[in-house]
Amino acid sequence: MSTDNTSVVLRAVEDIAFEPRPVPEVGPTEVLVEVKKTGICGSDVHYLVHGRIGDFVVNSPMVLGHESSGIVSKGRFRRPRKIKGFTNKSRPVGSKVKHLKVGTRVALEPGATCRVCDDCKAGRYELCPDIVFAATPPYDGTLGRYYKLPADLAYPLPDHLTYEDGAMMEPLSVGVHSVYNIGQIRANQRVAVFGAGPVGLLCMAVAKACGASRVIAVDIVQARLDFAKGYAATDVFAPPKMQEGETKIAYSRRASAELSAALGVEDRGPNAIDLVIEATGAEVCIQMAIFLAKIGGTVVQVGMGSAEAQIPVTLALVKELALKGSFRYPGDYPAAIALVASGKLDLKPLVTHRFAFKDAIKAFDVNRKGKSDDGKGVIKAIISGPDVDTESL
């Protein structure tokens, strides 16, 4: 076992560096995972550029990364006092862990909770006030050699899935939670998704896998719409540009009307949109989602962007829309893994860029720009763990 735990650390806004971190000591119910693949999330980039997301503020150096997979490693274990049978000797996994062993390939769910608050007991542990979530201030993330976590948050990967698949289970779980659990999609429903980035694309893929009869992708970047059409969308729409002097609400009403006219969308009946997933966080898209949803339909807000937004609230009222927020994922990893393992959903087309660990800083720069030097657009960039070949999936 290597004692080197060099990690990718956000020291301040626009300041990333490699720094050594101690190898975590693992308790009886925990495992130490040697990280093999980590995806770059938009939140990582947001912290890099702005130093905060809402009330989550980077006030001290923080290891980045939370979309990861790896292999259960043999690590150092804490010695609980006055408990017979425990020693400082290295063990395969925590003494109370029965379902994992050294060498098990796992996807990491990066949020450990208290397990005793009302939300945890109700099965909504993503709302736990004491959640320790990777790469969310003040907690370190997974972008190093090692990461420890509760053993029940390390999910074994089927043999035919890759480490890259495992890393992608985190954003896929966001899609499963927003579309299936919060949106409560049903077969033959019509779905619109605002934003054709990784989360939006995965929401489209989940909707398709759940039997949606129509999946409309909305984005301002034509290349992303082209990808969406070949991946999971049945229809695509690029909103028009805002006119001079036009208010955001007026623009959103006009753009929604143009979408409806172009794609034959109606307020009721078989051509109406049952479920709208807003995955951009842009104020005009939030507004358009309310204009577009059918009477009695559902709008799920999963994109984090504008901290505040003006919405056509009276319209939402008279249409009796269900406006819901979707935040992370409680217990959605098993369903995400099952969708991919069964072949109902393919994650591989989403990985457009791969970087060695030593090139992690470059990876963030490419992700920020949205394309690499060869002009290829970024959908999902994956950083390999230390000493892991980028082509070893």
Side-chain angles (χ1 to χ4, degrees):
M1 172 185 169
S2 173
T3 58
D4 172 54
N5 191 28
T6 300
S7 302
V8 180
V9 178
L10 176 63
R11 300 190 295 193
V13 171
E14 305 284 3
D15 183 8
I16 305 178
F18 293 100
E19 291 185 359
R21 289 294 172 100
V23 177
E25 293 186 338
V26 182
T29 61
E30 298 172 323
V31 292
L32 185 70
V33 175
E34 186 173 351
V35 178
K36 297 297 185 181
K37 301 288 179 177
T38 299
I40 297 179
C41 177
S43 65
D44 294 317
V45 177
H46 203 89
Y47 283 125
L48 168 63
V49 176
H50 302 287
R52 68 183 300 158
I53 296 177
D55 293 333
F56 300 106
V57 183
V58 180
N59 291 317
S60 59
M62 177 184 78
V63 178
L64 292 167
H66 61 267
E67 301 180 1
S68 293
S69 64
I71 187 169
V72 175
S73 173
K74 190 173 184 178
R76 298 185 303 163
F77 288 77
R78 294 194 302 268
R79 179 182 177 180
R81 295 181 180 179
K82 300 181 180 180
I83 299 180
K84 184 178 180 181
F86 284 95
T87 71
N88 282 328
K89 187 178 180 181
S90 179
R91 294 180 180 145
V93 293
S95 60
K96 295 184 179 180
V97 178
K98 306 301 182 185
H99 69 293
L100 297 174
K101 61 182 180 180
V102 168
T104 302
R105 301 162 59 254
V106 292
L108 281 61
E109 181 175 350
T113 57
C114 76
R115 304 171 187 258
V116 297
C117 70
D118 289 344
D119 289 312
C120 282
K121 289 183 175 180
R124 304 184 70 187
Y125 61 82
E126 78 280 19
L127 303 180
C128 175
D130 297 318
I131 190 169
V132 177
F133 198 89
T136 297
Y139 305 111
D140 282 337
T142 60
L143 201 44
R145 185 183 297 273
Y146 298 112
Y147 188 77
K148 76 168 182 177
L149 74 168
D152 61 307
L153 298 182
Y155 297 87
L157 290 171
D159 291 341
H160 64 289
L161 297 190
T162 67
Y163 283 119
E164 286 190 352
D165 290 331
M168 291 290 290
M169 292 305 165
E170 197 277 344
L172 177 55
S173 292
V174 173
V176 170
H177 187 55
S178 59
V179 174
Y180 184 76
N181 287 331
I182 300 295
Q184 297 183 322
I185 190 173
R186 298 293 181 267
N188 200 41
Q189 286 190 327
R190 279 71 54 185
V191 180
V193 179
F194 283 83
V199 169
L201 289 166
L202 288 168
C203 287
M204 298 174 208
V206 172
K208 180 181 178 181
C210 291
S213 59
R214 192 177 197 187
V215 180
I216 299 173
V218 183
D219 202 290
I220 60 174
V221 180
Q222 187 59 48
R224 290 198 168 193
L225 291 177
D226 293 341
F227 182 91
K229 186 65 181 292
Y231 182 61
T234 59
D235 303 271
V236 298
F237 180 77
K241 293 184 178 180
M242 186 176 288
Q243 298 174 352
E244 185 176 353
E246 191 175 28
T247 66
K248 289 183 178 180
I249 282 287
Y251 166 78
S252 299
R253 182 183 290 108
R254 177 172 66 87
S256 179
E258 289 189 19
L259 185 158
S260 296
L263 300 181
V265 173
E266 301 174 356
D267 286 338
R268 305 172 186 266
N271 294 321
I273 303 300
D274 301 284
L275 172 63
V276 182
I277 304 294
E278 204 300 297
T280 72
E283 184 175 19
V284 292
C285 292
I286 298 169
Q287 295 165 350
M288 282 183 67
I290 293 172
F291 284 117
L292 187 62
K294 78 172 189 179
I295 293 170
T298 299
V299 175
V300 175
Q301 184 64 42
V302 64
M304 296 183 73
S306 303
E308 298 176 351
Q310 180 186 14
I311 65 170
V313 66
T314 300
L315 180 64
L317 182 155
V318 299
K319 290 172 76 171
E320 283 203 355
L321 296 181
L323 304 180
K324 301 181 178 183
S326 181
F327 187 53
R328 295 174 179 159
Y329 30 72
D332 295 297
Y333 265 63
I337 292 172
L339 282 172
V340 181
S342 66
K344 293 183 181 297
L345 197 152
D346 187 7
L347 296 171
K348 291 176 176 57
L350 299 178
V351 180
T352 55
H353 293 72
R354 297 176 174 90
F355 296 88
F357 188 78
K358 65 182 180 62
D359 297 323
I361 295 175
K362 178 182 178 182
F364 276 92
D365 184 57
V366 168
N367 203 275
R368 285 181 58 181
K369 293 177 180 176
K371 60 182 179 180
S372 46
D373 293 340
D374 60 3
K376 184 178 182 180
V378 177
I379 295 177
K380 178 58 67 174
I382 298 284
I383 300 172
S384 294
D387 306 323
V388 178
D389 188 348
T390 57
E391 299 305 315
S392 174
L393 306 183

